Amino acid sequence: MSGHFEALPGGGAAVPLDEVEVSILRSLAVQMLELIGPGDQPAQGEDPLAALFRDGPSEPPADPALARLFPNAYADDDEELRAASAEFRRYTENDLRARKREDALAVVRSLDALGAAGEGGAVLELSADDSRHWLGALNDLRLTIGTRLEVSDEDENDDLYRLPDSDPRKPMVMAYLWLGALQETLVETLMP
C-alpha cells in the first residue's frame, strides 16, 4: 500500500491502486454506507419538496463512531446548550448524512468504473469534483476507524502504532495510517 495521489493537469487527481487496495477501499466505503444508513425516502404519494424539509433526529447517535461523524453542535454543559444542539441536529443531520452517503457512493462508483485491477494494478483518475467526494469519504473513514481504535488527540497512541502482528487491531491500524497518507496527498493535489 504505497500509492499516493498526484495532481492531474486541469484539476483532479490520480492514484495507482493494486487489486488489494481497490478491494479494501471499496469494502470500507460499503461499510461506511451501511453505518450511515439508507436515508429517508419520501413516502409513497408524499410531496418530494415536503420530504426535503422533514425533521431529522434530535438525539445524538448511540454508536460512538456515528456520534463522531455527527457530533453535537454545542457542548453539553447545560440544558440550554443541549436544547440548541438538538434543534441544530434536527435541521442539519439529514443533509449531512446525505452528503456522507454521496461521498462514499462516489468512492464505490469510481472504483467500480476502474474495473478489475490486474496484477500490475490500475491508475484511478478523479475529476476535481470526485476528488472532493473522495476527500470527504477518506476523512469519514479515518474518523470512524480512529473512533473504533480509540485514537485521541490527548495521547500519542504510540502503543497503538507499535502493535505486534498478532494483535487483531493491527490491520485496522494499518488501514488508518494508509487512509491518512491517501488523504494527505489528496489534499495536496487540491491546493492551489
Side-chain angles (χ1 to χ4, degrees):
M1 293 187 205
S2 60
H4 63 278
F5 281 97
E6 293 187 16
L8 290 175
V15 62
L17 297 170
D18 65 29
E19 187 176 356
V20 172
E21 292 168 330
V22 169
S23 176
I24 290 169
L25 285 167
R26 190 178 191 293
S27 175
L28 290 172
V30 167
Q31 290 177 55
M32 177 62 62
L33 287 166
E34 291 170 355
L35 180 66
I36 293 169
D40 293 332
Q41 302 298 320
Q44 190 162 354
E46 181 182 11
D47 176 11
L49 188 58
L52 287 174
F53 295 102
R54 187 181 308 137
D55 287 349
S58 59
E59 294 296 319
D63 182 319
L66 283 173
R68 183 69 178 98
L69 292 174
F70 306 105
N72 281 329
Y74 307 103
D76 284 357
D77 295 345
D78 63 40
E79 188 65 33
E80 190 173 310
L81 290 176
R82 280 190 291 280
S85 281
E87 189 76 0
F88 185 81
R89 180 179 301 282
R90 207 173 105 218
Y91 292 115
T92 61
E93 187 169 316
N94 286 342
D95 288 340
L96 186 56
R97 281 181 184 266
R99 194 197 82 227
K100 290 180 182 303
R101 269 191 296 280
E102 287 173 22
D103 291 346
L105 276 171
V107 170
V108 171
R109 287 180 182 135
S110 59
L111 291 171
D112 287 351
L114 185 61
E119 284 184 34
V123 176
L124 175 68
E125 292 188 3
L126 302 173
S127 67
D129 191 45
D130 285 337
S131 294
R132 286 186 285 279
H133 284 295
W134 267 72
L135 189 57
L138 289 172
N139 186 62
D140 292 342
L141 289 169
R142 287 195 75 237
L143 286 173
T144 302
I145 293 170
T147 301
R148 297 286 190 238
L149 292 170
E150 298 179 352
V151 173
S152 66
D153 291 335
E154 288 90 40
D155 49 28
E156 294 296 316
N157 296 303
D158 287 338
D159 293 339
L160 192 62
Y161 301 130
R162 293 188 183 114
L163 292 175
D165 290 342
S166 60
D167 193 299
R169 298 172 296 169
K170 181 77 173 209
M172 290 310 293
V173 170
M174 297 305 295
Y176 178 78
L177 296 172
W178 175 55
L179 292 170
L182 286 175
Q183 184 180 17
E184 182 178 344
T185 60
L186 184 54
V187 166
E188 290 170 0
T189 71
L190 295 172
M191 299 188 66

